[in-house]
């Protein structure tokens, strides 16, 4: 496993503190206070690295706007014929938007904590029609077009051109809005930036960019930080947006072994204490912190701190096991044999012979997130201790739980509309648990041996399937070591 220190002496992206920038002098970028500010006794602060990432990517995207705009008219002609009226294009966009709302469960009538951010979008789209300067309308339309483009059986370059044109218009409007508000973002600006990050996970930039959608995720986090820090806007931040942004941030930090950039108390302040996954989310947040600390302890050979961390990890694993046992009946599952009429993924070689049945697809999500979190906890125990049969046994058990729950998440509970409504969103809900299971199989030969190569290959195919289902363009390293 790649280990990196969580502490650095200087920020490679800062290009000097704000005081040195203002004075147009060279800064030696020592943290927390540069030498010039220390010598002069002045306050020393650095630009937000997350915001710099976002603004750099924003500038690149905005530069493509003119070229993409020129191709839009040609794209419409190729799609509809030269004589097609503009109403036809508007009708097509309305159909694509309706399909996006259906696939991402935006139109769900019942409030759902897992999709409440997406349930905001139809209202924001209608509201933004009255404000031409709002980027939200273009951001939602860009995402809908990108999703529709990815869902087509064959490539439709005209749709992609239209999607990227809307994307670039949204970027331009975001820049203008931030300039007008002197850099203080509104909730709609943050929503638009978050949607741009989602867009880039569906249609990544054609240019070879290492971070692709990470820049927009960083920008959204930076804006959330600004909003909450500002006394005039803290009360107005939408809790649905905040919870969605936190969940994305924590999962990314768990994947990248980095510290969360926002404090836990902002998340817990908007979490419903009755929500069954509240404790799970707090554990995921703390686990992201612990991973970054573990990497630092290993780099600096701090064996005492590493041993203390193992105790924390063991306690967290036991606490999650107890939390799972106390979940309400609606989150419980029954078990049955796989049937011939089950979905195609259960007919593939290596598929589980038995599957879990939950009351609804969304009720399966907290369990699968718990299974994945316990895998990550036990992987860190192995990282600190080396061989540990209990940790390996738990990883194997959790992988099997995730595989048996996959069908329940993406198949629905058997209702008439389950096959259509929210399918892409449900696919995204199982991506992280399957990815954690897949990673554990890749990096631990003893776990792979116990699960079996055939089952591991099924896990890989199931992950590929849900990535296609959700429209994600994430690339995977699929190599298995069998020797």
């Amino acid at each position: 496993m790649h280990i990196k220190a969580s502490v650095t002496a200087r920020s490679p992206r800062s290009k000097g503190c704000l005081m040195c920038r203002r004075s147009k002098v060279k800064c030696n970028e020592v943290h927390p206070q540069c030498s010039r500010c220390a010598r002069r006794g002045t306050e020393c602060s650095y630009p937000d690295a997350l915001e710099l990432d976002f603004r750099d990517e924003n500038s690149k995207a905005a530069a493509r706007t003119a070229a993409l705009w020129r191709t839009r008219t040609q794209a419409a002609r190729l799609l509809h014929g030269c004589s097609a009226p503009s109403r036809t294009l508007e009708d097509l966009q309305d159909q694509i938007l309706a399909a996006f709302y259906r696939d991402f469960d935006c139109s769900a009538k019942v409030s759902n904590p897992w999709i409440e951010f997406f349930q905001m979008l139809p209202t924001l789209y209608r509201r933004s029609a009255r404000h031409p300067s709002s980027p939200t309308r273009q951001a939602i339309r860009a995402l809908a077009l990108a999703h529709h483009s990815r869902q087509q059986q064959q490539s439709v370059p005209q749709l992609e051109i239209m999607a990227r044109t809307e994307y670039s218009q949204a970027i331009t409007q975001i820049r203008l809005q931030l300039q007008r508000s002197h850099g203080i973002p509104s909730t709609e600006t943050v929503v638009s930036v978050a949607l741009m990050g989602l867009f880039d996970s569906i249609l990544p930039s054609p240019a070879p960019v290492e971070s692709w959608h990470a820049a927009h995720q960083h920008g959204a986090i930076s804006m959330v930080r600004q909003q909450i820090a500002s006394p005039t806007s803290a009360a107005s931040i939408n809790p649905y947006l905040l919870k969605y942004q936190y969940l994305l941030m924590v999962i990314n930090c768990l994947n990248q072994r980095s510290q969360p950039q926002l404090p836990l108390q902002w998340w817990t302040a908007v979490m419903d204490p009755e929500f069954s996954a509240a404790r799970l989310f707090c554990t995921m947040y703390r686990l992201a912190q612990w991973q970054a600390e573990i990497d630092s302890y290993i780099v600096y050979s701090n064996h005492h701190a590493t041993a203390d961390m193992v105790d924390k990890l063991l306690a967290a694993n036991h606490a999650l096991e107890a939390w799972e046992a106390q979940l309400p009946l609606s989150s419980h599952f029954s078990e049955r044999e796989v049937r011939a009429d089950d979905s195609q993924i259960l007919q593939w070689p290596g598929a589980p012979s038995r599957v879990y049945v939950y009351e609804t697809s969304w009720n399966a999500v907290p369990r699968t997130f718990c299974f994945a979190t316990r895998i990550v906890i036990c992987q860190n125990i192995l990282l600190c201790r080396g061989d540990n049969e209990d940790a390996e046994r738990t990883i194997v058990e959790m992988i099997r739980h995730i595989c048996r729950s996959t069908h329940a998440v993406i198949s629905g509970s058997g209702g008439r509309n389950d096959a259509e409504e929210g399918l892409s969103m449900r696919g995204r809900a199982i991506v992280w648990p399957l990815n954690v299971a897949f990673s554990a199989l890749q990096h631990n030969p003893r776990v792979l041996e116990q699960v079996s190569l055939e089952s591991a290959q099924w896990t890989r195919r199931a992950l590929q399937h849900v990535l296609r289902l959700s429209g994600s363009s994430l690339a995977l390293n699929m190599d298995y070591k069998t020797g």
Side-chain angles (χ1 to χ4, degrees), residues 158-214:
Q158 296 84 6
L159 280 175
E160 184 173 337
I161 290 170
M162 293 167 67
R164 292 192 185 281
T165 301
E166 296 284 356
Y167 168 92
S168 294
Q169 282 187 296
I171 292 293
T172 300
Q173 292 292 354
I174 289 168
R175 286 163 59 86
L176 291 173
Q177 196 170 72
L178 287 172
Q179 288 171 6
R180 285 192 294 268
S181 63
H182 305 289
I184 303 299
S186 66
T187 292
E188 288 195 8
T189 306
V190 187
V191 168
S192 301
V193 174
L195 293 176
M196 294 296 88
L198 188 54
F199 177 100
D200 283 336
S201 74
I202 296 174
L203 285 180
S205 171
V209 181
E210 284 185 12
S211 58
W212 40 294
H213 69 294

Side-chain angles (χ1 to χ4, degrees), residues 71-81 84 89 158 162:
T71 64
R72 180 171 184 163
T73 305
Q74 178 187 3
R77 282 202 307 270
L78 289 170
L79 197 58
H80 301 294
L89 181 57
Q158 296 84 6
M162 293 167 67

